[in-house]
Amino acid sequence: MNMYFQLGQEAATELQQLGCNMDASLSVDRDAEMLDSGGNRGGTFMCLTLAAGGWQSNLIVYLIQEYNVKSIDAAQVSNVVNGCTCLFPIIGAIIADSFSGCFPVIWISSFISFLGLVLLVLTATLDSLRPPSCDDGLSLCETPSESQFAVLYASIALASIGLGGTRFTIATMGANQFDKPEEQGNFFNWFFFAMYTASVISFTAIVYIEDNVSWGLGYGLCALVNLIGLLIFLSGSNFYRRDKPQGSPFVNIVRVLVASIRKRNVLLSSRSEDYHYHNDGEAKMVPETQSLSFLNGAALKTEGDLKPDGSIAKPWSLCTFQQVEDLKTVVRIFPLWSSSIFISTPIAIQGSLTILQALTMDRRIVSHFKIPVGSLLVLVQISTCISLPIIDRFLYPVWQKLTNQSPTPLQRLGIGHVLNIISMVVSALVESRRLKTAHSSTLPMLVMWLFPQLALVGIGEAFHFPGQLQLCYQEFPASLRGTATAMVAMTIGIAFYMGTALIGLVRRVTRWLQDDINQGRLDNVYWMVVVIGVLNFGYYLLCAKLYKHQNVSKGVEGSSGSDG
């Protein structure tokens, strides 16, 4: 969730505008109508995130307690759900970019998630949809019937699809309401602030209700806030700026590849008039032969490519100059995007290992209160929520005064990389101290020793995720903006699976991870992650140095291609 500038107005006014734009609203008269009508719609994204966190974060406990699912099976179901909700945004983004635009995808996905939550409420309230309760150790637990499983998994599937279709599509639509890169960067800051704030509330308040009051009430609240978010979003439909999709951009990407292969033996020209352009108003430029030159032939006009009226006769043999440049932009940014996978992987690994550490530590804050193990990772989100406004209102303005320019997305990503490495170093040092304490003392180490590493992760996410989101949104071609923001979710999903695979590999080839972690070497695992982080940071610096064609300074209009 890792996941900011001045707009030239007073702070209170800006916050009200940003609240309005959290759900991607825009009035015809931006300065007047956004303030008058936008405030009522500021909770759309927060409502949807609150609803999602309320059911997703406590799914394992629900499966075990109410459906008698074995713990390993419940964990596997949760892993699949977490992975899918990070990968589904790509599907929603492709649909938005290619066919419908963001608005229909958001409201339809919100409605789908609402249906899933209604079904989930029914599973929690109707005895016929659950197996009989299982008395621990007193009798054999009855497994759910096929129909009970069908309703349960249908509810989870609908809620997951709806969540995937809204989360980062809202980010795209929100950024579309702004024209300046600085304003877009500011929006992405507050987008992540809303996400993390809502997650903190859902992971604490709603989870408490589910565990201590009733599952039906907890899931009912999730369904209610989801419905409220949907209604708020629809109430602002007259104020949104909507981009109309121009057909599937992915077909154009394939066309460029096919056309360039077909013309691989054609001699490239140095004259701009020999290349095909979309219209007369498009700037006539010659592709740089040194930059992905094998793609340039796709836009080179040859005999039979054009009809007498100037339109393309062979779509799979000739593409426009802009389509070629769009593909080049995607190819160039891919290495930078891939470096983010290995910054999210250590975070995923640290999350599971921190839980294991906390189980062996003294979690008492006061004499009669212990920190719940499941709530410990909320500290990361709290740290991010605190860091985002400080970064936005203090650090970035100071940076701008000292350097006369705003920090670029690449600089934000770099800071996130460094903080991530530092947090893993702290994790390794704390674990080394915990092991010494466990072997030499009967008193366990205080859980508060884990707070600094979790706080550093949160601060790093406050730099990294908004920077990555802004970079992808502004650098990807305009036709792929929805896909660009969903790529952030995709890195998290891939990192989640890679972290699981890496832990499995460590268990197979070393003795560092034992069932009794006091007999293992978790500190070595952290040091291994530090090495991976350092290598990945070097890879990132190389990619950033080679990435010379940045569109951030040119704004959205120039972000379709800068290689000319």
Side-chain angles (χ1 to χ4, degrees):
M1 42 48 287
N2 281 168
M3 190 210 183
Y4 310 48
F5 295 83
Q6 292 179 335
L7 292 177
Q9 297 184 359
E10 295 297 324
T13 303
E14 177 177 275
L15 287 175
Q16 190 173 4
Q17 287 181 321
L18 289 169
C20 155
N21 285 291
M22 282 300 173
D23 62 327
S25 62
L26 179 78
S27 64
V28 177
D29 185 344
R30 186 181 298 264
D31 293 331
E33 294 187 28
M34 279 177 66
L35 293 176
D36 292 338
S37 60
N40 294 331
R41 302 186 302 277
T44 297
F45 178 66
M46 292 192 70
C47 285
L48 296 178
T49 304
L50 189 67
W55 71 266
Q56 193 177 16
S57 61
N58 217 18
L59 181 61
I60 293 178
V61 178
Y62 183 63
L63 293 175
I64 295 174
Q65 292 185 353
E66 300 298 319
Y67 275 79
N68 305 332
V69 177
K70 294 184 180 299
S71 58
I72 299 300
D73 294 334
Q76 289 177 331
V77 171
S78 179
N79 288 342
V80 171
V81 170
N82 288 328
C84 289
T85 53
C86 290
L87 297 179
F88 280 161
I90 289 291
I91 299 176
I94 291 174
I95 295 174
D97 285 338
S98 304
F99 308 107
S100 64
C102 294
F103 181 79
V105 171
I106 294 172
W107 81 258
I108 292 174
S109 298
S110 300
F111 182 71
I112 291 174
S113 64
F114 173 69
L115 292 180
L117 289 174
V118 170
L119 278 179
L120 205 55
V121 171
L122 293 178
T123 65
T125 55
L126 298 180
D127 293 338
S128 59
L129 295 180
R130 301 190 313 279
S133 60
C134 178
D135 296 328
D136 296 337
L138 298 181
S139 61
L140 294 177
C141 297
E142 182 177 331
T143 59
S145 64
E146 291 184 358
S147 59
Q148 289 171 338
F149 264 137
V151 176
L152 173 67
Y153 289 142
S155 65
I156 295 174
L158 289 173
S160 300
I161 292 172
L163 173 60
T166 57
R167 177 165 289 176
F168 284 89
T169 309
I170 286 182
T172 301
M173 190 169 179
N176 286 346
Q177 314 307 308
F178 298 96
D179 298 314
K180 298 180 180 180
E182 293 83 1
E183 295 174 346
Q184 294 162 359
N186 205 341
F187 166 78
F188 287 134
N189 255 9
W190 292 103
F191 170 83
F192 276 98
F193 179 80
M195 177 189 293
Y196 280 79
T197 301
S199 297
V200 169
I201 297 173
S202 61
F203 286 10
T204 53
I206 294 183
V207 168
Y208 178 85
I209 292 173
E210 292 168 351
D211 288 344
N212 297 280
V213 183
S214 76
W215 289 99
L217 178 59
Y219 287 155
L221 289 174
C222 292
L224 178 61
V225 294
N226 185 297
L227 178 61
I228 293 173
L230 173 59
L231 295 177
I232 292 174
F233 180 75
L234 293 176
S235 70
S237 60
N238 293 330
F239 301 96
Y240 303 140
R241 175 191 292 175
R242 308 185 196 181
D243 291 342
K244 295 182 179 180
Q246 303 296 323
S248 175
F250 303 97
V251 173
N252 293 334
I253 289 176
V254 177
R255 284 179 55 203
V256 172
L257 293 174
V258 173
S260 61
I261 293 173
R262 286 183 172 181
K263 295 182 178 179
R264 61 188 180 276
N265 296 322
V266 177
L267 183 63
L268 298 177
S269 173
S270 59
R271 301 189 308 168
S272 61
E273 56 267 25
D274 291 335
Y275 295 91
H276 180 63
Y277 297 84
H278 181 67
N279 53 55
D280 294 335
E282 186 176 346
K284 301 296 190 292
M285 296 180 291
V286 180
E288 293 181 2
T289 55
Q290 295 180 351
S291 177
L292 302 173
S293 59
F294 66 95
L295 297 175
N296 297 341
L300 185 66
K301 293 182 289 188
T302 58
E303 185 177 355
D305 285 343
L306 295 175
K307 297 179 181 178
D309 61 358
S311 60
I312 296 178
K314 300 177 180 179
W316 293 93
S317 296
L318 181 66
C319 301
T320 67
F321 177 87
Q322 189 60 61
Q323 289 169 347
V324 173
E325 295 305 304
D326 286 351
L327 177 56
K328 287 185 178 183
T329 300
V330 173
V331 172
R332 289 192 196 98
I333 202 173
F334 182 81
L336 278 173
W337 171 81
S338 65
S339 71
S340 295
I341 296 175
F342 293 98
I343 196 176
S344 299
T345 301
I347 297 174
I349 293 175
Q350 187 197 48
S352 58
L353 297 185
T354 297
I355 296 298
L356 298 180
Q357 290 174 284
L359 288 171
T360 67
M361 303 174 78
D362 185 356
R363 291 179 281 117
R364 290 177 296 177
I365 299 298
V366 293
S367 58
H368 299 292
F369 177 76
K370 280 187 176 182
I371 298 177
V373 175
S375 298
L376 191 64
L377 296 181
V378 174
L379 292 172
V380 175
Q381 297 167 325
I382 294 175
S383 175
T384 305
C385 291
I386 295 173
S387 301
L388 284 171
I390 295 175
I391 293 171
D392 180 62
R393 309 311 305 175
F394 175 72
L395 182 59
Y396 286 166
V398 171
W399 183 308
Q400 194 166 15
K401 289 181 180 179
L402 294 177
T403 63
N404 294 322
Q405 61 181 3
S406 301
T408 67
L410 292 179
Q411 290 169 332
R412 300 180 192 183
L413 281 167
I415 295 173
H417 276 271
V418 172
L419 288 172
N420 181 266
I421 294 171
I422 294 175
S423 71
M424 298 305 152
V425 171
V426 173
S427 298
L429 295 175
V430 169
E431 174 58 15
S432 297
R433 182 181 178 88
R434 191 200 65 80
L435 281 174
K436 292 179 180 179
T437 302
H439 293 158
S440 61
S441 175
T442 57
L443 296 177
M445 189 173 172
L446 291 176
V447 77
M448 286 184 290
W449 279 90
L450 299 177
F451 288 8
Q453 66 197 53
L454 297 175
L456 283 170
V457 170
I459 298 171
E461 290 186 5
F463 281 98
H464 176 262
F465 285 126
Q468 184 188 8
L469 197 60
Q470 184 184 5
L471 177 70
C472 290
Y473 177 84
Q474 293 177 344
E475 292 293 282
F476 267 67
S479 59
L480 288 169
R481 286 177 188 162
T483 303
T485 56
M487 294 290 282
V488 179
M490 190 173 180
T491 61
I492 299 173
I494 296 174
F496 180 83
Y497 291 122
M498 289 190 65
T500 302
L502 188 58
I503 290 297
L505 178 63
V506 170
R507 293 190 68 180
R508 286 195 298 271
V509 301
T510 72
R511 297 181 58 84
W512 295 347
L513 292 173
Q514 302 291 321
D515 291 332
D516 182 0
I517 64 170
N518 290 335
Q519 304 303 316
R521 292 300 303 269
L522 280 185
D523 55 336
N524 287 345
V525 178
Y526 281 126
W527 286 121
M528 177 192 69
V529 173
V530 169
V531 173
I532 293 175
V534 171
L535 294 175
N536 184 54
F537 182 53
Y539 169 67
Y540 168 78
L541 291 177
L542 177 63
C543 294
K545 182 178 180 180
L546 296 177
Y547 190 77
K548 300 178 181 179
H549 300 275
Q550 298 185 58
N551 303 314
V552 173
S553 61
K554 299 180 182 180
V556 177
E557 296 301 325
S559 64
S560 297
S562 61
D563 190 36

